Amino acid sequence: MKYQDWLKTIPKDITDDSVWNLKVYRAALYLSDLNWEDTQKIIERKFFSLSDQLYSSTDSISANVTEEYSRNSHKEKARFYEIALGSARKSKNWYFKSRHICTA
């Protein structure tokens, strides 16, 4: 699904939240939704632990960006961004490991 089409599917209560103004948050949510289709392919092939790792690592990106947004100190904000970046690296790793299943 293209990003512009995806934006039209987002409920108003999410777009009204101030964290929605962060581009990185919107991109992380978009990735999670795109990931859902790939996760379903992995589940159908009965690779449950792989699907769990892939989905939880991509889902963790937006969750940590949201946590960062609610923090007051720059040190705390930086810590949650660091965790979100770590989740992005983990997602890349799990996508690499599942690439044969996702493209089959």
Side-chain angles (χ1 to χ4, degrees):
M1 175 183 295
K2 292 185 179 182
Y3 183 73
Q4 295 302 326
D5 296 331
W6 174 79
L7 284 174
K8 296 173 188 172
T9 69
I10 306 302
K12 186 168 176 31
D13 60 329
I14 292 178
T15 60
D16 285 347
D17 192 332
S18 58
V19 73
W20 183 254
N21 294 323
L22 295 175
K23 287 182 182 180
V24 67
Y25 178 69
R26 292 191 308 264
L29 287 180
Y30 179 56
L31 172 63
S32 288
D33 274 1
L34 287 178
N35 172 270
W36 184 247
E37 289 181 32
D38 292 332
T39 302
Q40 292 302 306
K41 290 177 189 175
I42 297 168
I43 288 171
E44 288 170 7
R45 303 274 302 271
K46 305 217 183 309
F47 290 95
F48 300 114
S49 61
L50 179 59
S51 66
D52 183 51
Q53 290 290 344
L54 180 60
Y55 194 72
S56 65
S57 63
T58 56
D59 203 37
S60 177
I61 300 168
S62 61
N64 282 295
V65 169
T66 303
E67 280 296 319
E68 171 276 328
Y69 188 75
S70 68
R71 304 302 169 160
N72 290 327
S73 78
H74 293 295
K75 186 176 182 178
E76 281 291 298
K77 287 179 176 284
R79 186 170 71 88
F80 279 99
Y81 261 133
E82 185 177 355
I83 294 168
L85 288 172
S87 296
R89 286 190 296 273
K90 285 170 87 174
S91 297
K92 181 180 174 183
N93 181 46
W94 287 113
Y95 256 113
F96 178 79
K97 291 175 179 177
S98 62
R99 70 192 185 282
H100 303 296
I101 299 168
C102 293
T103 58

